[in-house]
Amino acid sequence: MPSVPAPGLLHEVPIALGDRSYGISIGTGLLGQPATWSGLPRAAAALVVTNETVAPLYLATLLEALRPHFAAIHEVVLPDGEAFKDWRTLNRIFDALLARACDRKTVLFALGGGVIGDMTGFAAACYMRGVPFVQVPTTLLAQVDSSVGGKTAINHPLGKNMIGAFYQPLRVVCDLGTLATLPAREFSAGLAEVIKYGPIADMGFLDWIEAQLPALLRRDPAVLAHAVQRSCEIKAWVVGQDERESGLRAILNFGHTFGHAIEAGLGYGEWLHGEAVGCGMVLAANLSARLGLIDSALVERLTRLVAAAGLPVRAPSLGVQRYLDLMRLDKKAEAGDLRFVVIESPGRAGVRPAPEALVREVLAQGGA
Ligand code: NAD
Ligand code: GLY
C-alpha cells in the first residue's frame, strides 16, 4: 500500500550551480504557506504572472501567502495557451512592471505551467537587464522539467523556443496539490517528460514508471511525489554539469527534435508539447535502433509505455519533407545538418548526426 504523505514539504532537491544554486521544494499545500516564501531577497514589490485558467484556481492563495513578505504585490493575468507564448504576450509583463514603476529588486513569480514559467523567466532575464524570479509550477510537465534549469523563451512562428535566455530562478516550489485540477490530457503530457528520464539516464526509473503507471494515472500522492523528486534529481544532475548546454544537457531534449517539428508544423497548441515529445521519443528510439545502437525490444517497450500513458505514438502526416525542413531549424542542427538525441545504450543518451535517408525512413514508418 503506498503511504499518503502528510501535507508539507516532502523533498528538497538541490541544484548546484555555484552562486546561482537553488532548491526545488516538493510537497503538498506549499503554495498557501507564508513560510514557503520566506528567505527570498528583500524587495518592495512582487509581480505574480499567471494565466486566466490558473488565476481562479490558485492566485488568491498565493497572493495571501506572499502578503507578509512584500509591501506591494501586483499581478498580471495572461491569456492561456502555447499560441500566446509570443512577443505580444511577453510585452504585457513588461507593461505591468513599468506601469507600476517596479524597480530592479522586484521579484517575479511564475504561477502556472511551462508556458507561464518560460515567459516569466524570459521577462525576468530582460527587465532592467535581470530581476529575480521564482518558479511556481502547477502542471506535471512544469514540475518535472520546465521550471528547473533556467531555460526561458518565447516561440517564433518559424521555430519553437527560438528567442530566449538561460536565466536561473531563485527557487522552484512544486506544490503537488495543484496537480489535482490538471485535465487528464495535460497530466499525460507531463508523463512524457517523466518517461524521458528513463531511457536517457536511469533504466531503474523506467522500470519503476512502468510498474507504477496505474498509480501515477490515478495521481496517487506518494507515487507522484517520487516521480517529481526523481525527475528533478536527474534534471538537476544534468544541469549541474552543463548549465548552458555545451554538451550533456542536450540529452534532455530526447524526442524534442521530432516533437518541436510536430508542434511548429501543426501550429502551436494543436498538439500539447508533451504529446509531441511522447511521439518524438518513439521516433527517436526508432532512429536509435536503425543506427544500430539499441535493439527493437527497447523501442517496442518505450512505444507501449508512451501509449499506455495516454500519449500519441503515430506522427501527424505533415509530409516527410516538411518535417525535414522544420528540423533543420532545430538548435542542435549544425550548418543545416540534422543532429538528434539518440539512445546510445539503455539509460545513456548522446547527440549524433543521422543520414537523411535514415531519418526519412523513420518518419515515413512513423506516420509522417
Ligand atoms: P501549459 O503551460 O500550457 O499548461 C498546460 C495547461 O494547463 C494550460 O491550459 C494551463 O493553463 C493549465 N494549467 C496549468 N496548471 C493547472 C492546474 N494546476 N490545474 C488546471 N489547469 C492548469 O503547458 P505545460 O505542459 O505546462 O508546458 C509546456 C511548455 O513548457 C511549452 O511551451 C514547452 O516549450 C515548455 N518547456 C520548457 C522547458 C524548459 O526547460 N524551459 C522544458 C519543457 C517544456
Ligand atoms: N527541457 C530541456 C532542458 O531543460 O534542457
Side-chain angles (χ1 to χ4, degrees):
M1 279 284 285
S3 57
V4 177
L9 183 63
L10 298 168
H11 308 289
E12 185 79 24
V13 177
I15 171 155
L17 292 168
D19 60 2
R20 293 179 311 292
S21 298
Y22 53 96
I24 305 160
S25 306
I26 302 164
T28 53
L30 300 180
L31 203 75
Q33 290 175 13
T36 303
W37 313 109
S38 56
L40 293 169
R42 285 179 66 81
L47 175 77
V48 179
V49 183
T50 187
N51 72 25
E52 52 205 15
T53 303
V54 178
L57 296 169
Y58 303 111
L59 180 59
T61 308
L62 178 60
L63 292 178
E64 194 54 35
L66 290 177
R67 216 167 294 286
H69 303 290
F70 298 94
I73 307 172
H74 311 293
E75 62 199 58
V76 57
V77 179
L78 303 176
D80 182 9
E82 185 74 36
F84 295 100
K85 192 175 167 184
D86 61 6
W87 278 116
R88 183 192 285 257
T89 313
L90 178 75
N91 218 24
R92 290 201 31 199
I93 306 177
F94 298 134
D95 290 346
L97 287 162
L98 288 163
R100 289 153 180 104
C102 289
D103 64 25
R104 61 173 18 148
K105 289 193 169 169
T106 305
V107 183
L108 268 56
F109 289 80
L111 174 67
V115 170
I116 287 293
D118 281 13
M119 274 200 297
T120 307
F122 188 39
C126 299
Y127 187 65
M128 294 195 176
R129 302 195 183 92
V131 293
F133 87 111
V134 175
Q135 288 273 17
V136 192
T138 62
T139 63
L140 180 60
L141 185 140
Q143 295 192 356
V144 300
D145 190 353
S146 66
S147 65
V148 174
K151 277 191 181 175
T152 74
I154 55 169
N155 298 329
H156 186 280
L158 292 179
K160 172 109 177 123
N161 293 333
M162 279 294 164
I163 321 291
F166 287 100
Y167 194 68
Q168 300 295 341
L170 289 176
R171 185 178 293 179
V172 180
V173 175
C174 300
D175 188 333
L176 302 168
T178 61
L179 302 182
T181 52
L182 202 59
R185 189 176 165 200
E186 297 291 350
F187 190 83
S188 287
L191 285 176
E193 302 280 14
V194 177
I195 292 168
K196 169 186 82 177
Y197 292 112
I200 65 165
D202 183 354
M203 289 301 280
F205 189 44
L206 191 70
D207 297 340
W208 180 88
I209 298 166
E210 282 173 329
Q212 297 297 334
L213 190 65
L216 273 169
L217 289 167
R218 280 199 311 275
R219 308 186 198 186
D220 176 293
V223 174
L224 213 44
H226 180 70
V228 175
Q229 178 197 9
R230 186 66 194 129
S231 300
C232 287
E233 282 171 355
I234 295 171
K235 181 141 188 189
W237 174 77
V238 172
V239 173
Q241 294 174 73
D242 181 21
E243 181 184 6
R244 298 176 74 90
E245 199 166 311
S246 47
L248 177 72
R249 184 167 177 165
I251 68 169
L252 297 173
N253 279 327
F254 176 56
H256 286 57
T257 304
F258 292 109
H260 286 168
I262 292 171
E263 285 186 271
L266 286 174
Y268 298 119
E270 187 62 28
W271 274 29
L272 302 179
H273 175 71
E275 292 172 336
V277 168
C279 180
M281 287 193 294
V282 170
L283 295 170
N286 254 306
L287 181 63
S288 310
R290 280 174 189 269
L291 286 166
L293 300 167
I294 57 171
D295 60 34
S296 61
L298 181 52
V299 183
E300 283 152 25
R301 187 178 165 194
L302 202 57
T303 307
R304 270 196 308 276
L305 181 58
V306 169
L311 295 160
V313 293
R314 295 286 296 166
S317 59
L318 304 172
V320 168
Q321 190 55 47
R322 175 94 172 109
Y323 274 89
L324 292 172
D325 292 343
L326 286 163
M327 291 193 301
R328 280 188 222 289
L329 285 173
D330 185 80
K331 291 191 257 342
K332 285 179 294 302
E334 283 181 6
D337 288 336
L338 297 172
R339 288 154 53 83
F340 293 87
V341 180
V342 291
I343 308 173
E344 303 268 7
S345 62
R348 202 167 60 81
V351 179
R352 291 197 179 200
E356 186 179 310
L358 218 56
V359 179
R360 283 182 179 275
E361 278 174 32
V362 167
L363 284 165
Q365 192 208 342

